[in-house]
Amino acid sequence: IEGMASGEQLHPLQKKFLEHAALQCGICTPGVLVAAKALLEKNPDPTETEVRYWLAGNLCRCTGYDKIIRAVLDAGEVMRQNPAKTPAKV
Ligand code: FES
C-alpha cells in the first residue's frame, strides 16, 4: 500500500483516510484503498451509491463505512481538481 504514495507525498486517498479518520484497526484499510483507487481511476466522479457498491466486497468491522465513503468521495474531488498532483497509476 506504500506504493500508492509518491515518495513522501501521500496519495489523496491516503490523506483523506487520515483526515476523515476512516480507519481504526487498519485491517481492512489496504484492500479498501486499493479498491477505491481502482474505482476513481475508472470513474473519477462516482456517486455515493457507486462507491458503496464498489467497496461492498471489503468488510470493515470498525468504522461503520460512512467515514470510508466520505473519504473516497472527498479524495475523488481532490483528484478531479488537481490531477497533476495525483501520483501516477501504479
Ligand atoms: Fe478495522 Fe476496518 S478499520 S476492520
Side-chain angles (χ1 to χ4, degrees):
I1 204 67
E2 293 86 357
M4 284 179 67
S6 179
E8 296 292 316
Q9 181 186 3
L10 294 178
H11 188 280
L13 278 164
Q14 293 170 309
K15 289 181 188 174
K16 291 303 177 184
F17 266 61
L18 291 172
E19 288 177 19
H20 287 267
L23 63 144
Q24 290 180 25
C25 78
I27 294 293
C28 70
T29 306
V32 173
L33 284 173
V34 169
K37 183 174 181 285
L39 169 63
L40 294 178
E41 288 173 359
K42 182 180 175 92
N43 178 3
D45 192 12
T47 65
E48 178 178 337
T49 299
E50 289 170 331
V51 175
R52 288 184 182 277
Y53 271 97
W54 189 273
L55 298 180
N58 296 83
L59 302 179
C60 178
R61 293 285 189 165
C62 304
T63 65
Y65 300 100
D66 286 336
K67 291 179 178 180
I68 291 174
I69 304 305
R70 301 279 168 253
V72 172
L73 291 169
D74 202 9
E77 186 175 333
V78 168
M79 292 168 68
R80 288 191 304 278
Q81 292 174 354
N82 301 303
K85 292 187 176 180
T86 302
K89 293 179 183 178
V90 176

